[in-house]
DNA sequence: GTCTATACCTGGATAGAC
DNA sequence: GTCTATCCAGGTATAGAC
């Protein structure tokens, strides 16, 4: 994969996660890379193509990360999962789901489908992780693993959003509550 | 307040909460009301003015609602609070915080300030409600009321976002977990 | 208060040269 | 692959008539 293509994807992800899909333009990508509008269109003919590729990238990165965690203890894997959000917070980014879901109805259909798929993958990994931890008795919660996974994703997703509006304390506070809740 | 002004505010709120601030235009407001672009600008000279007024409206509605609940038992007040989100879900809307917070950095500064204010009001009402319920022993949770309020808001906010992407089950599932968690 | 008309800009996208 | 040049659509906003 070309360097330019990678750079576009990286910048595009940053822009979506700090401004949202409808508040950035190809110019916001071409300018920092010192290339022209048309060069970006060469790699991603339409904005929807770029959006889809960014979601695919995120799915691939999540798969790769979780696969690499497989040898680790369940509670460590969970810890590393929450650290993904910690890293986002420290950059002032929200997660991709948090960035795109509010305007879901306005997204091109291919992006909607990929986003749905991303949600499925994250929830099913997290459900399995919580299920395993419960069986191993390193986690302790009354709900089903599936319900717990939904609550955990929800809390972490919002913590990044609320953090932007309300200030930094709220992310750490919610993250702490999530850790104590499992 | 004029009928037209009210209708604009109502439509504007719907558009922000279903499409986001950057994905609707004055035309989306003027067309259903069968008026022209310029008429909308008469009431709200800039889009930022409209955005601010919509947030102010929401704050006022929240104050009015919670004030009217004052005679009710604490647990009933909490139940009515969660029902606000239920009502949003049934319309396919997200909450105003969920709609605006991802693109917080791109919002006009007056909107940022109002949104921050809205968050403060909701969190402080909810904190007081949970605190009171704990003292009355109708609620039971280990965290501080403040931390619990943050987790509750976060879970309900995200449940509306995830619901759009993942389907209807997830809202009810998270809402149920929230109710059991207090 | 609402209209017509329009100015001005930005953004997505494409054609064709290099 | 990247450029210049350009098209077209849409969006915010304003002036001035009614």
């Amino acid at each position: 994969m070309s360097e330019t293509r990678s750079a576009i994807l990286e910048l595009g992800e940053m822009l979506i996660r700090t401004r949202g899909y409808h508040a950035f333009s190809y110019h916001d990508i071409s300018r920092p890379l010192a290339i022209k509008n048309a060069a970006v269109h060469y790699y991603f003919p339409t904005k929807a193509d770029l959006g889809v590729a960014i979601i695919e990238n995120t799915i691939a990165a999540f798969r790769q990360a979780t696969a690499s965690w497989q040898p680790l203890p369940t509670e460590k894997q969970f810890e590393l999962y929450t650290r993904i959000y910690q890293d986002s917070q420290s950059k002032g980014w929200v997660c991709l789901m948090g960035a795109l879901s509010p305007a879901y109805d306005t997204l091109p259909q291919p992006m909607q489908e990929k986003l749905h798929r991303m949600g499925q993958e994250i929830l099913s990994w997290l459900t399995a992780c919580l299920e395993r931890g419960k069986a191993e008795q390193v986690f302790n919660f009354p709900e089903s693993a599936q319900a717990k996974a939904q609550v955990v994703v929800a809390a972490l997703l919002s913590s990044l959003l609320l953090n932007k509006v309300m200030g930094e304390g709220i992310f750490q506070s919610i993250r702490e509550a999530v850790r104590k809740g499992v």
Side-chain angles (χ1 to χ4, degrees), chain A:
Chain A
M1 181 157 68
S2 90
E3 295 259 320
T4 306
R5 189 186 149 92
S6 305
I8 293 170
L9 282 171
E10 203 172 322
L11 248 174
E13 183 186 353
M14 182 272 281
L15 288 163
I16 287 182
R17 292 176 61 182
T18 54
R19 308 175 56 84
Y21 183 71
H22 296 290
F24 83 93
S25 71
Y26 272 40
H27 187 60
D28 296 325
I29 290 179
S30 61
R31 189 184 36 204
L33 296 182
I35 56 177
K36 299 296 171 187
N37 175 351
V40 184
H41 278 284
Y42 169 78
Y43 292 97
F44 303 98
T46 71
K47 200 177 177 183
D49 294 325
L50 176 57
V52 166
I54 288 168
I55 303 172
E56 278 171 346
N57 242 24
T58 300
I59 293 172
F62 183 75
R63 280 186 192 155
Q64 197 179 343
T66 53
S68 78
W69 300 343
Q70 268 189 8
L72 302 175
T74 306
E75 68 273 25
K76 180 65 182 170
Q77 293 188 35
F78 184 77
E79 152 74 16
L80 287 170
Y81 170 73
T82 69
R83 192 172 300 179
I84 295 176
Y85 294 84
Q86 171 72 66
D87 292 344
S88 299
Q89 188 276 326
S90 67
K91 288 188 287 194
W93 295 13
V94 304
C95 68
L96 199 53
M97 184 63 77
L100 294 177
S101 54
Y104 187 71
D105 296 346
T106 72
L107 296 177
Q109 206 208 333
M111 284 185 67
Q112 292 182 345
E113 286 165 10
K114 282 287 173 207
L115 195 62
H116 181 78
R117 180 79 198 138
M118 187 182 86
Q120 284 177 328
E121 297 226 4
I122 291 171
L123 281 170
S124 78
W125 178 85
L126 188 55
T127 299
C129 176
L130 291 166
E131 188 77 72
R132 200 168 55 249
K134 208 176 186 180
E136 294 167 355
Q137 304 196 353
V138 296
F139 295 153
N140 180 29
F141 49 85
E143 313 93 315
S144 69
Q146 191 185 359
K148 189 68 181 181
Q150 293 171 344
V151 171
V152 167
V153 168
L156 292 172
L157 187 162
S158 284
S159 73
L160 294 176
L161 301 183
L162 290 169
N163 197 68
K164 292 186 80 79
V165 180
M166 306 307 296
E168 301 219 356
I170 201 163
F171 171 79
Q172 298 301 346
S173 169
I174 291 173
R175 188 188 185 208
E176 201 50 42
V178 164
R179 297 166 89 162
K180 286 188 181 147
V182 296

